[in-house]
Amino acid sequence: MLSRLGRRWLRPLPVLQLGARDPLLAPTSTDGIKYPALQVWAVASVSAVGSSGPGSWYEALATSAPVRGAEDVLLGVHTATGLPWWACIGLTTVALRGGVTLPLAAYQHYILAKVENLQPEIKNIARHLNQEVAVLANQLRWSKRVARLTYLKNMRRLVSELYVRDNCHPFKATVLVWIQFPMWIFMSVALRNFSTGATHSEGFSVQEQLATDGILWFPDLTALDSTWILPISVGIINLLIVEIFALQKIGMSRFQTYITYFVRVVSVLMIPIAATVPSSIVLYWLCSSLMGLSQNLLLRSPRFRQLCRIPLTKSDSDTPYKDLFAAFYTKFISRK
């Protein structure tokens, strides 16, 4: 006779379609977070262009409504403040990152904290469920494959019920990516339109304004940064963000390790890419990366996390910045 625990938890496979593929068998990290495969974010107008030419998709993107909206935001800030364009680009970046991505990042940490706090309960359920499946496998003479499929199916169901109960499905933590990445693309394309003379404001070419509204070693925002200072700075800041993320993760899964190495490579490749685009775009990338770094550090503050009502977790520290510096020093400076 099955135990009360088995009757409550286990749901036998009605008809074992061993060749079928369960949609919940997506790659999952050790912290329970599903990492959806990156899909190509698309503008609706791109699909309507068809195959009329190799550059047609970019033309559709450059004239799309989101890019026009980004241009209007930049022009609005420039008109309202009267600041030079280098300052307008920085101010707009700070406003967008602070007003849009920072709240989303806080929400992401809120979801991840709740998921982390569920891990002990999930491990306990997994242990008991494994015992129940073993008993059933002996009684019903299941093969190892059937027993494994039964365990996985019921485990996914139980974990999903926990996520619903606490309203913390890990997919919600990916909202930041789906907002931040398109916004970054639209702003970059808008600035390229400005730098190539594709946009005009009040009868004056924005390109002409950008050509004289730079600062320091890049007075012309439409030109490339021949010193490579801006491109290299972008790469260094992005690498620093990646390393901060890696240092806070103890015992990363193989998938997380691969993703970390991939982002490191992308950060390095961004340097030569940034050297081939106008300085206005690279300045935006640098400001965005600096805001991202500041955002990461801010979300480590216990006071700020408390202000955002992010639940306390076992991995939280009372001295996060001291711990981060110690880990950074150990990994990169005092390696023996």
Side-chain angles (χ1 to χ4, degrees), residues 93-124:
T93 306
V94 171
L96 289 176
R97 295 283 301 207
V100 178
T101 62
L102 180 58
L104 290 176
Y107 178 71
Q108 180 188 59
H109 280 250
Y110 171 82
I111 295 295
L112 294 179
K114 296 185 76 172
V115 170
E116 182 178 342
N117 288 336
L118 279 177
Q119 295 311 303
E121 188 173 354
I122 291 174
K123 290 179 180 179
N124 184 52

PDB file of all heavy atoms in Angstrom, residues 93-124:
ATOM      1  N   THR A  93      20.591  58.667 -21.066  1.00  0.00           N
ATOM      2  CA  THR A  93      20.969  57.323 -20.652  1.00  0.00           C
ATOM      3  C   THR A  93      20.718  57.119 -19.163  1.00  0.00           C
ATOM      4  O   THR A  93      20.147  56.097 -18.746  1.00  0.00           O
ATOM      5  CB  THR A  93      22.450  57.054 -20.958  1.00  0.00           C
ATOM      6  OG1 THR A  93      22.710  57.328 -22.339  1.00  0.00           O
ATOM      7  CG2 THR A  93      22.815  55.613 -20.645  1.00  0.00           C
ATOM      8  N   VAL A  94      21.124  58.089 -18.349  1.00  0.00           N
ATOM      9  CA  VAL A  94      20.907  57.992 -16.907  1.00  0.00           C
ATOM     10  C   VAL A  94      19.412  57.931 -16.588  1.00  0.00           C
ATOM     11  O   VAL A  94      18.968  57.137 -15.739  1.00  0.00           O
ATOM     12  CB  VAL A  94      21.565  59.188 -16.185  1.00  0.00           C
ATOM     13  CG1 VAL A  94      21.165  59.220 -14.712  1.00  0.00           C
ATOM     14  CG2 VAL A  94      23.084  59.116 -16.315  1.00  0.00           C
ATOM     15  N   ALA A  95      18.619  58.746 -17.286  1.00  0.00           N
ATOM     16  CA  ALA A  95      17.180  58.767 -17.034  1.00  0.00           C
ATOM     17  C   ALA A  95      16.529  57.438 -17.409  1.00  0.00           C
ATOM     18  O   ALA A  95      15.689  56.914 -16.657  1.00  0.00           O
ATOM     19  CB  ALA A  95      16.537  59.913 -17.812  1.00  0.00           C
ATOM     20  N   LEU A  96      16.897  56.891 -18.559  1.00  0.00           N
ATOM     21  CA  LEU A  96      16.298  55.628 -18.995  1.00  0.00           C
ATOM     22  C   LEU A  96      16.732  54.465 -18.111  1.00  0.00           C
ATOM     23  O   LEU A  96      15.903  53.631 -17.718  1.00  0.00           O
ATOM     24  CB  LEU A  96      16.678  55.346 -20.453  1.00  0.00           C
ATOM     25  CG  LEU A  96      16.020  56.240 -21.506  1.00  0.00           C
ATOM     26  CD1 LEU A  96      16.564  55.920 -22.890  1.00  0.00           C
ATOM     27  CD2 LEU A  96      14.501  56.076 -21.495  1.00  0.00           C
ATOM     28  N   ARG A  97      18.014  54.416 -17.793  1.00  0.00           N
ATOM     29  CA  ARG A  97      18.494  53.320 -16.947  1.00  0.00           C
ATOM     30  C   ARG A  97      17.947  53.430 -15.533  1.00  0.00           C
ATOM     31  O   ARG A  97      17.594  52.425 -14.912  1.00  0.00           O
ATOM     32  CB  ARG A  97      20.026  53.316 -16.914  1.00  0.00           C
ATOM     33  CG  ARG A  97      20.699  53.031 -18.236  1.00  0.00           C
ATOM     34  CD  ARG A  97      20.660  51.580 -18.606  1.00  0.00           C
ATOM     35  NE  ARG A  97      21.299  50.724 -17.628  1.00  0.00           N
ATOM     36  CZ  ARG A  97      21.856  49.549 -17.911  1.00  0.00           C
ATOM     37  NH1 ARG A  97      21.849  49.118 -19.153  1.00  0.00           N
ATOM     38  NH2 ARG A  97      22.382  48.801 -16.977  1.00  0.00           N
ATOM     39  N   GLY A  98      17.852  54.668 -15.035  1.00  0.00           N
ATOM     40  CA  GLY A  98      17.351  54.847 -13.678  1.00  0.00           C
ATOM     41  C   GLY A  98      15.846  54.693 -13.565  1.00  0.00           C
ATOM     42  O   GLY A  98      15.341  54.178 -12.565  1.00  0.00           O
ATOM     43  N   GLY A  99      15.130  55.130 -14.616  1.00  0.00           N
ATOM     44  CA  GLY A  99      13.676  55.090 -14.546  1.00  0.00           C
ATOM     45  C   GLY A  99      13.051  53.818 -15.072  1.00  0.00           C
ATOM     46  O   GLY A  99      11.910  53.496 -14.728  1.00  0.00           O
ATOM     47  N   VAL A 100      13.782  53.069 -15.912  1.00  0.00           N
ATOM     48  CA  VAL A 100      13.214  51.866 -16.518  1.00  0.00           C
ATOM     49  C   VAL A 100      13.927  50.607 -16.034  1.00  0.00           C
ATOM     50  O   VAL A 100      13.303  49.704 -15.464  1.00  0.00           O
ATOM     51  CB  VAL A 100      13.274  51.946 -18.064  1.00  0.00           C
ATOM     52  CG1 VAL A 100      12.721  50.661 -18.682  1.00  0.00           C
ATOM     53  CG2 VAL A 100      12.485  53.148 -18.567  1.00  0.00           C
ATOM     54  N   THR A 101      15.231  50.528 -16.267  1.00  0.00           N
ATOM     55  CA  THR A 101      15.922  49.274 -15.983  1.00  0.00           C
ATOM     56  C   THR A 101      16.217  49.057 -14.501  1.00  0.00           C
ATOM     57  O   THR A 101      16.268  47.912 -14.060  1.00  0.00           O
ATOM     58  CB  THR A 101      17.235  49.188 -16.782  1.00  0.00           C
ATOM     59  OG1 THR A 101      18.108  50.246 -16.378  1.00  0.00           O
ATOM     60  CG2 THR A 101      16.968  49.306 -18.267  1.00  0.00           C
ATOM     61  N   LEU A 102      16.423  50.120 -13.735  1.00  0.00           N
ATOM     62  CA  LEU A 102      16.686  49.927 -12.306  1.00  0.00           C
ATOM     63  C   LEU A 102      15.498  49.294 -11.586  1.00  0.00           C
ATOM     64  O   LEU A 102      15.679  48.324 -10.832  1.00  0.00           O
ATOM     65  CB  LEU A 102      17.086  51.250 -11.644  1.00  0.00           C
ATOM     66  CG  LEU A 102      17.388  51.174 -10.142  1.00  0.00           C
ATOM     67  CD1 LEU A 102      18.504  50.167  -9.863  1.00  0.00           C
ATOM     68  CD2 LEU A 102      17.772  52.552  -9.597  1.00  0.00           C
ATOM     69  N   PRO A 103      14.256  49.787 -11.773  1.00  0.00           N
ATOM     70  CA  PRO A 103      13.125  49.097 -11.147  1.00  0.00           C
ATOM     71  C   PRO A 103      12.982  47.649 -11.612  1.00  0.00           C
ATOM     72  O   PRO A 103      12.653  46.762 -10.805  1.00  0.00           O
ATOM     73  CB  PRO A 103      11.921  49.945 -11.584  1.00  0.00           C
ATOM     74  CG  PRO A 103      12.483  51.289 -11.865  1.00  0.00           C
ATOM     75  CD  PRO A 103      13.844  51.041 -12.434  1.00  0.00           C
ATOM     76  N   LEU A 104      13.235  47.393 -12.901  1.00  0.00           N
ATOM     77  CA  LEU A 104      13.146  46.027 -13.406  1.00  0.00           C
ATOM     78  C   LEU A 104      14.238  45.143 -12.806  1.00  0.00           C
ATOM     79  O   LEU A 104      14.015  43.968 -12.525  1.00  0.00           O
ATOM     80  CB  LEU A 104      13.242  46.019 -14.929  1.00  0.00           C
ATOM     81  CG  LEU A 104      12.038  46.602 -15.687  1.00  0.00           C
ATOM     82  CD1 LEU A 104      12.317  46.627 -17.187  1.00  0.00           C
ATOM     83  CD2 LEU A 104      10.775  45.809 -15.394  1.00  0.00           C
ATOM     84  N   ALA A 105      15.430  45.725 -12.617  1.00  0.00           N
ATOM     85  CA  ALA A 105      16.524  44.963 -11.996  1.00  0.00           C
ATOM     86  C   ALA A 105      16.198  44.645 -10.541  1.00  0.00           C
ATOM     87  O   ALA A 105      16.496  43.545 -10.054  1.00  0.00           O
ATOM     88  CB  ALA A 105      17.827  45.752 -12.088  1.00  0.00           C
ATOM     89  N   ALA A 106      15.587  45.596  -9.836  1.00  0.00           N
ATOM     90  CA  ALA A 106      15.176  45.343  -8.448  1.00  0.00           C
ATOM     91  C   ALA A 106      14.130  44.237  -8.408  1.00  0.00           C
ATOM     92  O   ALA A 106      14.161  43.358  -7.529  1.00  0.00           O
ATOM     93  CB  ALA A 106      14.637  46.625  -7.826  1.00  0.00           C
ATOM     94  N   TYR A 107      13.201  44.260  -9.362  1.00  0.00           N
ATOM     95  CA  TYR A 107      12.182  43.205  -9.434  1.00  0.00           C
ATOM     96  C   TYR A 107      12.825  41.854  -9.742  1.00  0.00           C
ATOM     97  O   TYR A 107      12.425  40.819  -9.194  1.00  0.00           O
ATOM     98  CB  TYR A 107      11.158  43.563 -10.503  1.00  0.00           C
ATOM     99  CG  TYR A 107      10.080  42.519 -10.695  1.00  0.00           C
ATOM    100  CD1 TYR A 107       9.100  42.322  -9.722  1.00  0.00           C
ATOM    101  CD2 TYR A 107      10.047  41.731 -11.841  1.00  0.00           C
ATOM    102  CE1 TYR A 107       8.112  41.361  -9.898  1.00  0.00           C
ATOM    103  CE2 TYR A 107       9.057  40.772 -12.021  1.00  0.00           C
ATOM    104  CZ  TYR A 107       8.098  40.599 -11.041  1.00  0.00           C
ATOM    105  OH  TYR A 107       7.119  39.645 -11.218  1.00  0.00           O
ATOM    106  N   GLN A 108      13.839  41.861 -10.608  1.00  0.00           N
ATOM    107  CA  GLN A 108      14.561  40.634 -10.916  1.00  0.00           C
ATOM    108  C   GLN A 108      15.197  40.045  -9.662  1.00  0.00           C
ATOM    109  O   GLN A 108      15.091  38.840  -9.400  1.00  0.00           O
ATOM    110  CB  GLN A 108      15.635  40.916 -11.969  1.00  0.00           C
ATOM    111  CG  GLN A 108      16.457  39.704 -12.364  1.00  0.00           C
ATOM    112  CD  GLN A 108      17.618  40.074 -13.267  1.00  0.00           C
ATOM    113  OE1 GLN A 108      18.475  40.869 -12.887  1.00  0.00           O
ATOM    114  NE2 GLN A 108      17.650  39.518 -14.464  1.00  0.00           N
ATOM    115  N   HIS A 109      15.852  40.898  -8.868  1.00  0.00           N
ATOM    116  CA  HIS A 109      16.467  40.420  -7.631  1.00  0.00           C
ATOM    117  C   HIS A 109      15.414  39.947  -6.638  1.00  0.00           C
ATOM    118  O   HIS A 109      15.658  39.009  -5.868  1.00  0.00           O
ATOM    119  CB  HIS A 109      17.322  41.537  -7.022  1.00  0.00           C
ATOM    120  CG  HIS A 109      18.663  41.685  -7.659  1.00  0.00           C
ATOM    121  ND1 HIS A 109      19.839  41.348  -7.031  1.00  0.00           N
ATOM    122  CD2 HIS A 109      19.019  42.130  -8.895  1.00  0.00           C
ATOM    123  CE1 HIS A 109      20.859  41.571  -7.839  1.00  0.00           C
ATOM    124  NE2 HIS A 109      20.390  42.056  -8.969  1.00  0.00           N
ATOM    125  N   TYR A 110      14.264  40.577  -6.650  1.00  0.00           N
ATOM    126  CA  TYR A 110      13.159  40.166  -5.778  1.00  0.00           C
ATOM    127  C   TYR A 110      12.715  38.743  -6.126  1.00  0.00           C
ATOM    128  O   TYR A 110      12.545  37.891  -5.232  1.00  0.00           O
ATOM    129  CB  TYR A 110      12.001  41.154  -5.940  1.00  0.00           C
ATOM    130  CG  TYR A 110      10.713  40.747  -5.258  1.00  0.00           C
ATOM    131  CD1 TYR A 110      10.530  40.975  -3.890  1.00  0.00           C
ATOM    132  CD2 TYR A 110       9.686  40.151  -5.981  1.00  0.00           C
ATOM    133  CE1 TYR A 110       9.343  40.607  -3.271  1.00  0.00           C
ATOM    134  CE2 TYR A 110       8.500  39.782  -5.366  1.00  0.00           C
ATOM    135  CZ  TYR A 110       8.335  40.015  -4.014  1.00  0.00           C
ATOM    136  OH  TYR A 110       7.162  39.648  -3.398  1.00  0.00           O
ATOM    137  N   ILE A 111      12.548  38.466  -7.416  1.00  0.00           N
ATOM    138  CA  ILE A 111      12.134  37.131  -7.852  1.00  0.00           C
ATOM    139  C   ILE A 111      13.215  36.097  -7.541  1.00  0.00           C
ATOM    140  O   ILE A 111      12.942  35.006  -7.010  1.00  0.00           O
ATOM    141  CB  ILE A 111      11.822  37.134  -9.359  1.00  0.00           C
ATOM    142  CG1 ILE A 111      10.607  38.015  -9.652  1.00  0.00           C
ATOM    143  CG2 ILE A 111      11.581  35.713  -9.863  1.00  0.00           C
ATOM    144  CD1 ILE A 111       9.313  37.530  -9.053  1.00  0.00           C
ATOM    145  N   LEU A 112      14.469  36.442  -7.849  1.00  0.00           N
ATOM    146  CA  LEU A 112      15.565  35.498  -7.628  1.00  0.00           C
ATOM    147  C   LEU A 112      15.750  35.193  -6.141  1.00  0.00           C
ATOM    148  O   LEU A 112      16.102  34.067  -5.774  1.00  0.00           O
ATOM    149  CB  LEU A 112      16.859  36.054  -8.219  1.00  0.00           C
ATOM    150  CG  LEU A 112      16.893  36.205  -9.745  1.00  0.00           C
ATOM    151  CD1 LEU A 112      18.216  36.785 -10.194  1.00  0.00           C
ATOM    152  CD2 LEU A 112      16.634  34.863 -10.420  1.00  0.00           C
ATOM    153  N   ALA A 113      15.524  36.185  -5.280  1.00  0.00           N
ATOM    154  CA  ALA A 113      15.630  35.958  -3.842  1.00  0.00           C
ATOM    155  C   ALA A 113      14.554  34.981  -3.371  1.00  0.00           C
ATOM    156  O   ALA A 113      14.818  34.087  -2.547  1.00  0.00           O
ATOM    157  CB  ALA A 113      15.518  37.284  -3.092  1.00  0.00           C
ATOM    158  N   LYS A 114      13.342  35.123  -3.887  1.00  0.00           N
ATOM    159  CA  LYS A 114      12.267  34.212  -3.501  1.00  0.00           C
ATOM    160  C   LYS A 114      12.545  32.799  -4.017  1.00  0.00           C
ATOM    161  O   LYS A 114      12.281  31.814  -3.315  1.00  0.00           O
ATOM    162  CB  LYS A 114      10.926  34.728  -4.036  1.00  0.00           C
ATOM    163  CG  LYS A 114      10.504  36.061  -3.437  1.00  0.00           C
ATOM    164  CD  LYS A 114       9.126  36.495  -3.897  1.00  0.00           C
ATOM    165  CE  LYS A 114       8.044  35.716  -3.190  1.00  0.00           C
ATOM    166  NZ  LYS A 114       6.690  36.245  -3.482  1.00  0.00           N
ATOM    167  N   VAL A 115      13.097  32.708  -5.225  1.00  0.00           N
ATOM    168  CA  VAL A 115      13.448  31.402  -5.764  1.00  0.00           C
ATOM    169  C   VAL A 115      14.548  30.754  -4.925  1.00  0.00           C
ATOM    170  O   VAL A 115      14.502  29.549  -4.635  1.00  0.00           O
ATOM    171  CB  VAL A 115      13.906  31.535  -7.238  1.00  0.00           C
ATOM    172  CG1 VAL A 115      14.507  30.224  -7.740  1.00  0.00           C
ATOM    173  CG2 VAL A 115      12.740  31.950  -8.119  1.00  0.00           C
ATOM    174  N   GLU A 116      15.531  31.554  -4.519  1.00  0.00           N
ATOM    175  CA  GLU A 116      16.611  31.017  -3.686  1.00  0.00           C
ATOM    176  C   GLU A 116      16.085  30.513  -2.352  1.00  0.00           C
ATOM    177  O   GLU A 116      16.517  29.465  -1.854  1.00  0.00           O
ATOM    178  CB  GLU A 116      17.671  32.095  -3.454  1.00  0.00           C
ATOM    179  CG  GLU A 116      18.856  31.619  -2.636  1.00  0.00           C
ATOM    180  CD  GLU A 116      19.922  32.679  -2.458  1.00  0.00           C
ATOM    181  OE1 GLU A 116      19.922  33.669  -3.224  1.00  0.00           O
ATOM    182  OE2 GLU A 116      20.760  32.519  -1.543  1.00  0.00           O
ATOM    183  N   ASN A 117      15.153  31.241  -1.775  1.00  0.00           N
ATOM    184  CA  ASN A 117      14.594  30.829  -0.489  1.00  0.00           C
ATOM    185  C   ASN A 117      13.743  29.572  -0.592  1.00  0.00           C
ATOM    186  O   ASN A 117      13.456  28.926   0.423  1.00  0.00           O
ATOM    187  CB  ASN A 117      13.767  31.965   0.113  1.00  0.00           C
ATOM    188  CG  ASN A 117      14.623  33.112   0.612  1.00  0.00           C
ATOM    189  OD1 ASN A 117      15.801  32.930   0.925  1.00  0.00           O
ATOM    190  ND2 ASN A 117      14.059  34.303   0.664  1.00  0.00           N
ATOM    191  N   LEU A 118      13.330  29.211  -1.812  1.00  0.00           N
ATOM    192  CA  LEU A 118      12.549  27.993  -2.012  1.00  0.00           C
ATOM    193  C   LEU A 118      13.430  26.749  -2.142  1.00  0.00           C
ATOM    194  O   LEU A 118      12.917  25.626  -2.074  1.00  0.00           O
ATOM    195  CB  LEU A 118      11.683  28.114  -3.266  1.00  0.00           C
ATOM    196  CG  LEU A 118      10.366  28.873  -3.151  1.00  0.00           C
ATOM    197  CD1 LEU A 118       9.689  28.955  -4.514  1.00  0.00           C
ATOM    198  CD2 LEU A 118       9.437  28.216  -2.146  1.00  0.00           C
ATOM    199  N   GLN A 119      14.724  26.932  -2.341  1.00  0.00           N
ATOM    200  CA  GLN A 119      15.601  25.799  -2.612  1.00  0.00           C
ATOM    201  C   GLN A 119      15.604  24.735  -1.514  1.00  0.00           C
ATOM    202  O   GLN A 119      15.567  23.538  -1.825  1.00  0.00           O
ATOM    203  CB  GLN A 119      17.023  26.281  -2.898  1.00  0.00           C
ATOM    204  CG  GLN A 119      17.147  27.114  -4.163  1.00  0.00           C
ATOM    205  CD  GLN A 119      16.479  26.488  -5.373  1.00  0.00           C
ATOM    206  OE1 GLN A 119      16.800  25.365  -5.752  1.00  0.00           O
ATOM    207  NE2 GLN A 119      15.546  27.212  -5.974  1.00  0.00           N
ATOM    208  N   PRO A 120      15.642  25.106  -0.221  1.00  0.00           N
ATOM    209  CA  PRO A 120      15.581  24.048   0.808  1.00  0.00           C
ATOM    210  C   PRO A 120      14.300  23.226   0.719  1.00  0.00           C
ATOM    211  O   PRO A 120      14.336  21.986   0.868  1.00  0.00           O
ATOM    212  CB  PRO A 120      15.651  24.841   2.121  1.00  0.00           C
ATOM    213  CG  PRO A 120      16.351  26.106   1.764  1.00  0.00           C
ATOM    214  CD  PRO A 120      15.895  26.434   0.389  1.00  0.00           C
ATOM    215  N   GLU A 121      13.173  23.880   0.472  1.00  0.00           N
ATOM    216  CA  GLU A 121      11.906  23.153   0.350  1.00  0.00           C
ATOM    217  C   GLU A 121      11.905  22.267  -0.891  1.00  0.00           C
ATOM    218  O   GLU A 121      11.395  21.140  -0.853  1.00  0.00           O
ATOM    219  CB  GLU A 121      10.748  24.157   0.288  1.00  0.00           C
ATOM    220  CG  GLU A 121       9.378  23.519   0.354  1.00  0.00           C
ATOM    221  CD  GLU A 121       8.258  24.543   0.464  1.00  0.00           C
ATOM    222  OE1 GLU A 121       8.565  25.745   0.605  1.00  0.00           O
ATOM    223  OE2 GLU A 121       7.076  24.128   0.408  1.00  0.00           O
ATOM    224  N   ILE A 122      12.489  22.766  -1.978  1.00  0.00           N
ATOM    225  CA  ILE A 122      12.560  21.965  -3.197  1.00  0.00           C
ATOM    226  C   ILE A 122      13.438  20.731  -2.995  1.00  0.00           C
ATOM    227  O   ILE A 122      13.102  19.624  -3.445  1.00  0.00           O
ATOM    228  CB  ILE A 122      13.092  22.826  -4.367  1.00  0.00           C
ATOM    229  CG1 ILE A 122      12.051  23.879  -4.758  1.00  0.00           C
ATOM    230  CG2 ILE A 122      13.445  21.961  -5.564  1.00  0.00           C
ATOM    231  CD1 ILE A 122      12.539  24.857  -5.810  1.00  0.00           C
ATOM    232  N   LYS A 123      14.557  20.896  -2.295  1.00  0.00           N
ATOM    233  CA  LYS A 123      15.436  19.755  -2.022  1.00  0.00           C
ATOM    234  C   LYS A 123      14.747  18.717  -1.145  1.00  0.00           C
ATOM    235  O   LYS A 123      14.911  17.506  -1.342  1.00  0.00           O
ATOM    236  CB  LYS A 123      16.723  20.246  -1.362  1.00  0.00           C
ATOM    237  CG  LYS A 123      17.630  21.046  -2.298  1.00  0.00           C
ATOM    238  CD  LYS A 123      18.876  21.525  -1.569  1.00  0.00           C
ATOM    239  CE  LYS A 123      19.782  22.331  -2.511  1.00  0.00           C
ATOM    240  NZ  LYS A 123      20.997  22.840  -1.817  1.00  0.00           N
ATOM    241  N   ASN A 124      13.981  19.193  -0.175  1.00  0.00           N
ATOM    242  CA  ASN A 124      13.252  18.279   0.698  1.00  0.00           C
ATOM    243  C   ASN A 124      12.208  17.486  -0.084  1.00  0.00           C
ATOM    244  O   ASN A 124      12.070  16.264   0.087  1.00  0.00           O
ATOM    245  CB  ASN A 124      12.584  19.071   1.824  1.00  0.00           C
ATOM    246  CG  ASN A 124      11.895  18.169   2.836  1.00  0.00           C
ATOM    247  OD1 ASN A 124      12.489  17.229   3.362  1.00  0.00           O
ATOM    248  ND2 ASN A 124      10.625  18.447   3.097  1.00  0.00           N
TER     249      ASN A 124
END
